[in-house]
Structures are given as structure tokens and as C-alpha cells.
Amino acid sequence: MPKWEPLKNKPNIYRYKNNGDKKYKYGVRRTYQLVGQKRKEFTKSGLKSASDAKIVLDKFNADLYADKIKPKNQADMTIGQYYEEMKELKFKSGKWRKTTVHVSNLYFKKYIKNVFSDTKISKMNRADYQAFINSLADRGLSKAYIEDINGLYQSIMNYAEYNDYIVKNKIQHIDLPDGKAPKSMTLEKEDYEKWFRTAKKVLNPYYYSVVRLLALGERRGELLGLRYESFEKLSNEDTGRYKILFDRARNPIAKNGSDLKTTSSYRYIIANQDMNEDIENVLFLSKKIRLSQKQTIKLDDYVVVSIGTGLPMAPVYINKLFFKVSEACNIRIHPHMLRHYFATVALQNNINNISVMKWLGHAKPEMTDKYFRSNESSILAVSDEIHGKF
């Protein structure tokens, strides 16, 4: 193969001689990258002059910028192949976090891979997909699960349409079955109070106060992301209450800390004075535990730690603490139920749903309204309000 020599001041244009040739021939080499594709090279050889090469190069550049250059065999890509490319692009662009990638991989591997991974994206059939979605309900999945799986699949197809892999996403606006009823998030006041009385008996003081902090309605990962600098005691007026800043999370994927779920999740709350004792318990005992385990105590160190190691508490251990209390009093409560209970109590006491939305870190008031769970207290509140008005 003849050696191509680049021409000075003429990027991407080369000259070369074949064996036995007296005159040079000219060629073009131009690397480029389409969305969702690896880097490629456009090559054209056998041109008679540098001017001819420039014409070919200019034509290619014009087509490239006009989005007329399409990947070869794009219709032959499979759902699995396109998912991998889409995932990589979304992660590199910052649209997907590590946790999003992890959850998406779980959904794809468990529910989609064996059914559609080898299906060409251009051959996706609406009837087959509807049958697949219906089968998820038959397997006992809840509607929320089915919506999440469908959301991932629709993302794959929409991204394919956007990038011209297919003309149209043929499975959009699919009919979703109801699926299994979701687990009840309803929690009665009596059960709530009994559960915490039991927690105080069966948990040590430090772990009890850690669990109590979740009564403020934050997410489990937000609790675990609190550092010493996240707490500020306010001294204005006679409040002496604590301001708590939520700006980092810890979860099974981001054990060392990560960004919060959404922009609206970045917020602070001011806890009621009733929480002062538990907040101060957590701060004091956390430092004591860290010192006993020869750990640091810096402003940026995590507050919620394991008693045995002084290291940041594993996310699953919060669930174990809840399970221990639930077993002792036979009232099943998990961390997220306290978030729903907080929203329910706040809304039934006529606190503006926008205020509750901001406290919980929701992006939309509609999400906050969904967190309301009608329990006996809320029903009696309505009954008292309308008594004697008919």
C-alpha cells in the first residue's frame, strides 16, 4: 500500500504514488463521529489533483453538517446494542447518574434482555410489545414497576427515532395494564406512635435517634448523606431549632456520596424543637463512636455511622433497624412510609401543598399530592369539618 503524504495547509488531503506511477494521485481522509456511533473515517482515493480532492472533501463536510451522513446498517442494530449505546451517551452527558444506570441495567437484564435484546430495532412490533407488557402484569408486577420498565423501553425507542435509526417509534402510547396493587403506604397515628415507642425500647439510643430523624420526611439516602456541617442551630428569637441542609445522598450504588435525585431535592428544612434532643443525640453520639473507632471528626464527615466501625452506615442497615422494630411490635413500617406519613399529616393539617412539596424536595405539587394517604385521622378531620353543615 503506498504511503500517503499530507499536503501542507490542506487538512485531510493527501498525495501518494502507486508502484510504477510517474504522477501523484490524491486522496481524502476525514474522521467523524455520528451520535451514538464510534469514530469512523471517510476515505476517497484515485483523485487527479488536490483541487479535485478539495471538492470531494467540501462535499462530504457539507453533507455531514446538513445531517445527510447516516450510519451504515442502522436498521440492523438490535434493541440490546442500541440500549448499550444510549446508556453510555446518557451517562457521559450527565443525564443519567450511576444509580440510574444501575437500576436501568437491572430492569433491562431481568425483564427485557431475554425477550427483545436480539430484536432489530426497525422490526419492533407493537402487538408483540403489548403482549410483553401484559405478561408483566400476569407475573405479578405492580403498575409502578410496569411503568418504569415501559419508560426505559420507550426511552430506547424514542432515542432511536431522534437519531434517525428508525422513522417512528411504533410502540408509543401503549396500553398499560393495572398490575398488582402497590403496597399500602397508609399508616394510622396509633400504629405510628406504637412503632416509635417500640423503637425506643429495642434500639440503642444512637440508632433510635437516627431512625427518629426520618420522621422529618427525608429520603433514606438523604439521611445517610448528612454531614456535621449539614446541621446549624438557629439562635434567632427563642427558637433554638436546627436548620438541616440536604445536598448529598448515599445509597447502595453511591456509598461515598452522590448528587441528589433532582434539582428540587437540594433544600434545607428547619426542624421542630421536639426534634432537638434526637438531633443532638445523633451529633454527640456519632462523634463519640467515631473517636472510639479512631475515625476523623471533620465538618464534611458523615454523621450516621455504624457503632461497630465508626464508618458511614451501609444503606441496607437502616432497613434492618426498621425490620427489627417491626418484628417486635408486629407493625410493618419501612423508611419510605415515614415520608408518606409526613406528607399526610402536613396536608391534612391544611399546610399548603407547595410548602410540603418544597420540604420533601419534590419537583411538582402533583407528586406531593400522591403522597397523601387517607387514614382514619384524615377521614375524621373531614367529618369534624362538615359536622352540622347539612
Side-chain angles (χ1 to χ4, degrees):
M1 181 175 179
K3 180 180 179 181
W4 284 35
E5 301 173 7
L7 298 186
K8 291 183 179 181
N9 302 321
K10 295 183 184 298
N12 303 310
I13 296 178
Y14 301 79
R15 70 178 186 177
Y16 63 93
K17 281 184 180 180
N18 291 319
N19 289 336
D21 285 350
K22 293 182 179 181
K23 292 185 178 181
Y24 282 104
K25 289 187 177 179
Y26 295 83
V28 172
R29 281 180 180 166
R30 163 77 155 86
T31 58
Y32 66 100
Q33 185 174 17
L34 300 177
V35 176
Q37 297 288 305
K38 296 180 180 178
R39 293 188 70 82
K40 297 182 179 180
E41 183 177 78
F42 168 73
T43 303
K44 183 72 174 178
S45 60
L47 302 170
K48 294 181 179 180
S49 67
S51 298
D52 289 344
K54 188 176 186 309
I55 291 172
V56 170
L57 179 62
D58 289 345
K59 173 67 166 55
F60 176 82
N61 285 333
D63 288 344
L64 183 65
Y65 297 138
D67 199 28
K68 293 181 180 180
I69 305 298
K70 305 298 179 185
K72 295 180 180 179
N73 302 321
Q74 57 188 25
D76 290 333
M77 287 189 68
T78 64
I79 297 294
Q81 290 171 332
Y82 198 72
Y83 168 68
E84 292 299 326
E85 290 198 358
M86 181 194 76
K87 177 179 67 177
E88 183 179 358
L89 285 169
K90 284 184 174 288
F91 181 67
K92 285 183 177 179
S93 68
K95 290 184 178 180
W96 279 15
R97 301 180 301 156
K98 284 184 179 180
T99 49
T100 311
V101 172
H102 176 72
V103 172
S104 298
N105 282 342
L106 290 178
Y107 282 153
F108 190 86
K109 183 177 180 180
K110 188 171 183 179
Y111 300 107
I112 299 173
K113 184 177 180 179
N114 291 339
V115 184
F116 292 120
S117 184
D118 294 330
T119 301
K120 291 182 180 180
I121 203 162
S122 60
K123 301 296 182 183
M124 195 61 224
N125 182 282
R126 188 177 180 86
D128 290 343
Y129 185 71
Q130 183 70 67
F132 163 71
I133 287 294
N134 292 343
S135 73
L136 297 178
D138 296 337
R139 291 167 63 176
L141 272 65
S142 68
K143 185 169 185 178
Y145 250 98
I146 295 172
E147 287 174 347
D148 286 344
I149 295 166
N150 177 63
L152 174 61
Y153 209 108
Q154 295 293 345
S155 294
I156 297 171
M157 298 299 292
N158 288 336
Y159 215 71
E161 178 182 337
Y162 176 79
N163 290 309
D164 294 327
Y165 280 67
I166 53 177
V167 176
K168 180 181 179 182
N169 174 8
K170 297 178 182 178
I171 63 169
Q172 56 188 332
H173 307 305
I174 206 79
D175 293 323
L176 298 181
D178 288 334
K180 184 178 71 174
K183 291 181 180 180
S184 175
M185 290 287 184
T186 301
L187 182 58
E188 298 294 344
K189 184 174 184 288
E190 294 77 9
D191 289 340
Y192 173 86
E193 292 174 346
K194 180 181 177 181
W195 192 91
F196 271 107
R197 286 197 301 270
T198 305
K200 196 164 189 176
K201 292 178 182 177
V202 303
L203 300 179
N204 65 60
Y206 175 66
Y207 284 159
Y208 170 73
S209 291
V210 166
V211 167
R212 275 284 293 159
L213 289 188
L214 282 169
L216 292 170
E218 73 272 28
R219 302 174 179 92
R220 180 189 68 172
E222 293 172 344
L223 169 72
L224 296 176
L226 292 173
R227 287 95 61 213
Y228 295 107
E229 64 185 359
S230 303
F231 295 85
E232 177 189 353
K233 192 165 187 179
L234 303 177
S235 57
N236 57 316
E237 300 175 358
D238 62 340
T239 58
R241 293 185 287 181
Y242 278 90
K243 175 180 176 180
I244 306 175
L245 175 68
F246 297 109
D247 63 353
R248 191 183 301 178
R250 290 183 62 251
N251 53 57
I253 307 305
K255 296 179 181 178
N256 295 322
S258 70
D259 295 335
L260 295 185
K261 191 174 183 180
T262 61
T263 303
S264 57
S265 297
Y266 291 84
R267 67 198 188 282
Y268 70 84
I269 63 173
I270 298 176
N272 189 287
Q273 283 178 296
D274 293 343
M275 294 297 298
N276 278 16
E277 182 179 349
D278 290 302
I279 292 171
E280 287 166 0
N281 262 352
V282 168
L283 294 173
F284 173 75
L285 294 175
S286 172
K287 292 176 181 178
K288 189 175 180 180
I289 293 166
R290 279 184 169 274
L291 284 174
S292 70
Q293 299 296 331
K294 299 180 180 179
Q295 302 293 340
T296 61
I297 300 178
K298 299 182 295 186
L299 286 176
D300 197 39
D301 282 335
Y302 292 110
V303 169
V304 180
V305 297
S306 168
I307 289 177
T309 65
L311 296 172
M313 182 182 288
V316 70
Y317 199 77
I318 289 286
N319 293 39
K320 289 182 177 180
L321 295 177
F322 271 73
F323 182 77
K324 182 178 182 179
V325 177
S326 295
E327 284 284 290
C329 64
N330 200 30
I331 298 173
R332 303 298 175 191
I333 293 180
H334 55 78
H336 207 66
M337 284 182 71
L338 297 185
R339 188 165 162 82
H340 282 262
Y341 185 75
F342 181 94
T344 299
V345 172
L347 292 172
Q348 76 183 33
N349 281 280
N350 298 317
I351 298 176
N352 183 281
N353 68 340
I354 299 297
S355 298
V356 181
M357 174 194 79
K358 292 183 179 297
W359 181 288
L360 294 176
H362 285 151
K364 298 179 180 179
E366 292 82 5
M367 175 59 73
T368 304
D369 292 340
K370 287 181 180 179
Y371 269 54
F372 181 85
R373 302 291 165 176
S374 180
N375 56 15
E376 187 173 305
S377 298
S378 63
I379 293 170
L380 287 173
V382 175
S383 178
D384 292 342
E385 184 67 25
I386 65 174
H387 179 71
K389 296 183 179 179
F390 288 96

